[in-house]
Amino acid sequence: MARPPSFSRPFNPRSLQPAVEVLNRADTFAALRAGIEQIAALQRDLRQLLPDYLATSIEPGFIKNGVLALFAAHNALAARLRHLEPRLLADLQQRGWAVNTLKIRVRPQTLKEPQPVKQARMTSTAVAALQALSESLAPSPLQAALARMSARHQSHSDGPGQKK
């Protein structure tokens, strides 16, 4: 079965157009374009008005009937944002935003992959040097810590694939 002619053209990456150009060209996307521009401007203003730890975890929604929805990453940030609400509302109004009320909601962000636990490994030569150092010291907290460290790494350095 033959493909329709529209699919037979080879892919040309130069023929791709940025989304902004497509949105600017079509009048049917005017409302979408205006909404995107409004949210981008709100995001810029919020980054200037809020402390860094809040600005990076707050997402603005649309303004509807004078109510601006703000979405916080978790409850603690939402609570902190509620404390700043009167000042933030006044600052937004001063910047020309037609906002009478803020509606603060929690929208959990997707969890990031946890950082892998570091697995420091020492060669058997390094473990032996650490153990010799701990044995040469007078009894002290440092001597005890070095002895524990060398004992802990002694069991790991004996494993397969370790340099000796």
Side-chain angles (χ1 to χ4, degrees):
M1 186 179 273
R3 286 185 169 173
S6 63
F7 294 118
S8 61
R9 287 181 283 158
F11 174 70
N12 181 1
R14 292 182 184 189
S15 68
L16 295 178
Q17 301 169 6
V20 174
E21 287 181 21
V22 174
L23 291 176
N24 286 336
R25 208 173 8 161
D27 291 336
T28 56
F29 294 120
L32 178 61
R33 183 177 58 243
I36 291 170
E37 290 170 356
Q38 180 186 48
I39 288 178
L42 263 170
Q43 189 79 34
R44 281 191 301 274
D45 283 349
L46 287 172
R47 284 196 176 129
Q48 292 173 356
L49 296 172
L50 292 172
D52 288 340
Y53 72 94
L54 272 174
T56 58
S57 301
I58 301 296
E59 294 178 13
F62 289 104
I63 299 173
K64 186 175 181 180
N65 298 327
V67 178
L68 169 62
L70 294 176
F71 299 98
H74 52 79
N75 286 330
L77 290 175
R80 181 64 182 135
L81 192 57
R82 285 184 185 101
H83 287 286
L84 298 174
E85 185 175 352
R87 187 199 61 144
L88 181 60
L89 185 60
D91 288 345
L92 287 171
Q93 288 170 343
Q94 189 175 25
R95 288 179 177 239
W97 291 102
V99 177
N100 301 323
T101 312
L102 297 179
K103 185 182 275 188
I104 299 167
R105 298 284 184 237
V106 176
R107 182 190 293 166
Q109 294 176 344
T110 58
L111 293 177
K112 297 176 184 171
E113 289 291 323
Q115 291 283 343
V117 177
K118 290 185 179 181
Q119 299 292 326
R121 302 278 189 236
M122 285 190 187
T123 63
S124 57
T125 306
V127 172
L130 196 60
Q131 188 173 6
L133 176 62
S134 72
E135 291 170 356
S136 70
L137 294 174
S140 67
L142 174 62
Q143 186 271 337
L146 290 173
R148 282 192 311 273
M149 187 186 300
S150 66
R152 183 175 64 240
H153 285 280
Q154 181 68 40
S155 62
H156 293 297
S157 66
D158 292 338
Q162 293 292 322
K163 294 180 181 177
K164 300 238 178 184

